[in-house]
Amino acid sequence: MSLMLYMTIFLGASLILVALSRRLGLTSVLGYLVTGLILGQSGFNLIKFSLIQNFIDYASILLVFLIGLELRPQRIWLMRSHLIKLGGIQIVITAGLIVTLGITVLQLPLLNSFIVGFALALSAMILALQLQTQYEQLNTTTGQYTLAVTLAQALVAIFLIALLPLFTRTESSQHGIAYFAATLATISGVFLFGRYLIQPFLNYLAKQNSIELMAATALFTVLAIFLTVDALGLHVLIGALLAGMLLADTPFRHAFETMIKPFRSLMSGFFFLSLGLYASFAVITQSPVFIVSLVAALLIIKSIVLAVLGHYSRLNWSNASLLGLGLCQSGELTFLVLYAALKEQLIGQVIMNQLTAVIVLSMLLSPFIYLLAQHIIKQRPERTRQDDVNTEASPALIIAGFGRFGQIIARVAHQQLLPFTIIDNNQPGAEFIEAYGGRFIEADITDSQTLQQAGIEQAKILVIAIDDVEDCMNAVRYIRLNYPELKLLVRARDRYHVHLLRDMGIEHFWRETQLSALDMAEYMLHAHGLSLEEAHEQVDAFRQHDLILLKQQQRLNRDDHKIYETHGNALAELKHLFAYNEQVQARYEESDLNPNVEYYRSDVTQGGQN
């Protein structure tokens, strides 16, 4: 049977079973996993074992690359406290307990116990996060703790994979101190390469609006990293992780994620399909009590350890229990470590088959255990608090755009201790705001998943501070259509932008330079000889006069295209405004009114009468 036919069968079966899984309220991970179980060694056995191993190799690379995209260095640094206190301590305690059981009860050698213990201490990262998203808990304290634990486990998994060659008995230049030094040199070199060569080149391409060359640059970077890792004799998964982290560390991470977004679920699903193909339930029929006991021990140990740590980290017992039950299974991270150990001949095929069955059974059981816990506890997890890891909570204020305008709004909110979320897709380095009680999401505001992640359902006010008129109008149009009750405060670039916002029914808008210009104009009048009171009156009168003029123009030009034709050119619009003011001034001069003192105030009265 040809490879093309295999892929067609697998894809067709996945379409049916993944759709059915979602129909039943389960995650897509289970759909792909069950597809592999049915078609693989536990079912129809349609594919040779050697080809399954090839699938595993390629799927592992894709999965680790996706994980790398989530491991932004800035994000890791900001969450370092919770990565260590929750993820790090959980891994050490859980691994210590399993290693002890492996040595005392299972009579495993020390090295095997060490590898198995640390591998089983890891959880199913994608499954756990899908469960949190499915139950709308990712923005709660429990969800954010789950994210912190899985990120820590992902880092530990790759670290363990990098360490495995050091335990092999072969003597070659790629092992020992030389191997460790090569790994450190590669990591350092990749990030220097990205920071001082790739990022400046991407900035140049962005200025040239060469989107296709940016995609080509990203592909070149990934291939170059893989070739470097292969040439140095390092594990290919280290290259996959570094490639993902390098792209995530650029200001154009959102653009790269947008490129692969349609294939993201399929890329991760390919791994779980391969895992299902690899798993053999024959070991369960051979030793059912042994396998079931291992699964039960794994679920109990991990759920208790995580629940205790969660409660110690200020969760109540209900939410701490949900944290433990959501991460009690083993998953893709565990399999990656064990499969790498198998290739290094540190564990045998029999142990690998048994532990793969344990991994698959725990993944199949954990969603139902979590669902049962939800019904027993009968309460939603508590909302996040500012002093927890939940800098990614859902406050009532969302600010879209973090340029010079949005930054002032955020500073005022922070001064008043108002929690807020920032959404911006072109503001690299803004993650520092999370250290001050805010939350930063690097994404497009018109993306429905972004808005859900920002907590749009709980938001009371959305400030749109985007400087680009077209992007702003797209965002306003989307929000008005999907969240008509949400209060919008919108930044307007100019008078033309104001007309467009009024036509959309926006009541609260501020022209970005109006207030500062009027404040300077008031000081200018005072410096020119007017008293402070007179200068304030003239500027206030001008403000009202200008607002009335805007309304008059709005009535005359309802059509967006007509407004653009009339005032699209800034210089032509300015000429129109000066001519209009001159005509009004002339009318009042004919009435023997003092234009220098009463001009604007009288014009407001006249405008109101019209």
Side-chain angles (χ1 to χ4, degrees), residues 400-409 422 424 427 465-467 491:
F402 200 50
R404 61 183 187 274
F405 199 99
Q407 289 169 8
I408 294 176
I409 304 295
I422 301 291
D424 197 304
Q427 195 63 258
I466 304 173
D467 60 351
R491 165 191 183 179

Side-chain angles (χ1 to χ4, degrees), residues 581-595 598-607 609:
N581 290 343
E582 191 174 67
Q583 292 173 6
V584 176
Q585 184 180 21
R587 290 202 303 268
Y588 287 104
E589 286 178 343
E590 293 174 0
S591 303
D592 295 328
L593 292 176
N594 185 345
E598 299 293 341
Y599 157 58
Y600 288 120
R601 185 165 16 194
S602 300
D603 180 61
V604 171
T605 305
Q606 180 69 23
Q609 292 173 352

Side-chain angles (χ1 to χ4, degrees), residues 7 18 22 31 49 73 125 141 179 186 213 262 331 462 568 593 609:
M7 297 304 296
V18 171
R22 291 183 173 179
F49 186 72
M125 179 179 184
T141 307
Y179 175 85
T186 302
L213 291 182
L462 172 60
L593 292 176
Q609 292 173 352

Side-chain angles (χ1 to χ4, degrees), residues 375-564:
H375 287 295
I376 293 176
I377 294 174
K378 293 183 179 179
Q379 68 176 38
R380 296 179 62 85
E382 61 187 5
R383 300 303 302 173
T384 55
R385 298 170 304 191
Q386 185 172 335
D387 58 343
D388 294 335
V389 68
N390 50 355
T391 53
E392 301 194 24
S394 303
L397 173 62
I398 299 176
I399 304 173
F402 200 50
R404 61 183 187 274
F405 199 99
Q407 289 169 8
I408 294 176
I409 304 295
R411 287 174 60 194
V412 172
H414 175 258
Q415 184 184 47
Q416 298 299 315
L417 302 180
L418 299 176
F420 59 88
T421 294
I422 301 291
I423 302 176
D424 197 304
N425 63 356
N426 191 27
Q427 195 63 258
E431 292 88 351
F432 75 90
I433 200 68
E434 298 178 355
Y436 295 92
R439 180 188 178 199
F440 180 77
I441 300 176
E442 187 178 0
D444 184 0
I445 187 177
T446 59
D447 187 345
S448 59
Q449 292 185 353
T450 299
L451 292 173
Q452 291 292 334
Q453 183 184 359
I456 191 70
E457 302 291 346
Q458 293 78 35
K460 296 181 180 179
I461 298 175
L462 172 60
V463 176
I464 299 182
I466 304 173
D467 60 351
D468 185 87
V469 175
E470 183 178 356
D471 290 344
C472 176
M473 293 308 300
N474 288 336
V476 169
R477 190 175 294 108
Y478 182 85
I479 297 297
R480 291 283 291 176
L481 179 64
N482 293 278
Y483 305 96
E485 303 301 323
L486 183 62
K487 189 169 187 177
L488 285 178
L489 311 181
V490 186
R491 165 191 183 179
R493 186 173 181 83
D494 49 29
R495 303 171 71 85
Y496 163 62
H497 194 186
V498 169
H499 293 316
L500 298 180
L501 291 172
R502 281 186 175 276
D503 282 344
M504 288 291 297
I506 301 301
E507 300 178 357
H508 308 288
F509 53 83
W510 285 260
R511 279 186 281 165
E512 59 184 26
T513 58
Q514 184 189 34
L515 294 180
S516 58
L518 290 177
D519 189 51
M520 180 183 287
E522 182 175 329
Y523 185 83
M524 179 271 297
L525 291 177
H526 175 60
H528 198 62
L530 273 66
S531 66
L532 288 174
E533 292 78 9
E534 289 175 329
H536 180 74
E537 288 179 359
Q538 296 310 307
V539 170
D540 186 61
F542 177 85
R543 192 199 321 267
Q544 298 181 47
H545 153 76
D546 191 59
L547 180 59
I548 290 174
L549 179 59
L550 270 174
K551 293 180 179 179
Q552 291 174 346
Q553 291 176 328
Q554 191 75 21
R555 289 195 297 267
L556 292 174
N557 301 288
R558 283 292 181 185
D559 181 66
D560 290 354
H561 182 66
K562 193 172 183 180
I563 293 174
Y564 180 79

Side-chain angles (χ1 to χ4, degrees), residues 297-430:
L298 175 69
L299 298 178
I300 292 172
I301 290 174
K302 294 181 71 173
S303 59
I304 292 177
V305 170
L306 282 163
V308 172
L309 288 175
H311 184 66
Y312 176 76
S313 300
R314 301 179 183 178
L315 285 178
N316 60 42
W317 278 113
S318 297
N319 292 337
S321 299
L322 289 177
L323 174 67
L325 294 174
L327 291 167
C328 64
Q329 77 290 110
S330 289
E332 65 274 17
L333 299 177
T334 303
F335 184 82
L336 289 174
V337 174
L338 294 176
Y339 192 70
L342 176 66
K343 285 197 163 186
E344 296 290 345
Q345 299 181 355
L346 295 175
I347 61 174
Q349 187 65 55
V350 175
I351 295 178
M352 184 66 193
N353 291 340
Q354 292 173 338
L355 294 179
T356 301
V358 171
I359 293 171
V360 172
L361 285 177
S362 68
M363 291 181 66
L364 293 174
L365 291 173
S366 62
F368 298 99
I369 295 174
Y370 194 80
L371 176 62
L372 180 62
Q374 290 280 356
H375 287 295
I376 293 176
I377 294 174
K378 293 183 179 179
Q379 68 176 38
R380 296 179 62 85
E382 61 187 5
R383 300 303 302 173
T384 55
R385 298 170 304 191
Q386 185 172 335
D387 58 343
D388 294 335
V389 68
N390 50 355
T391 53
E392 301 194 24
S394 303
L397 173 62
I398 299 176
I399 304 173
F402 200 50
R404 61 183 187 274
F405 199 99
Q407 289 169 8
I408 294 176
I409 304 295
R411 287 174 60 194
V412 172
H414 175 258
Q415 184 184 47
Q416 298 299 315
L417 302 180
L418 299 176
F420 59 88
T421 294
I422 301 291
I423 302 176
D424 197 304
N425 63 356
N426 191 27
Q427 195 63 258

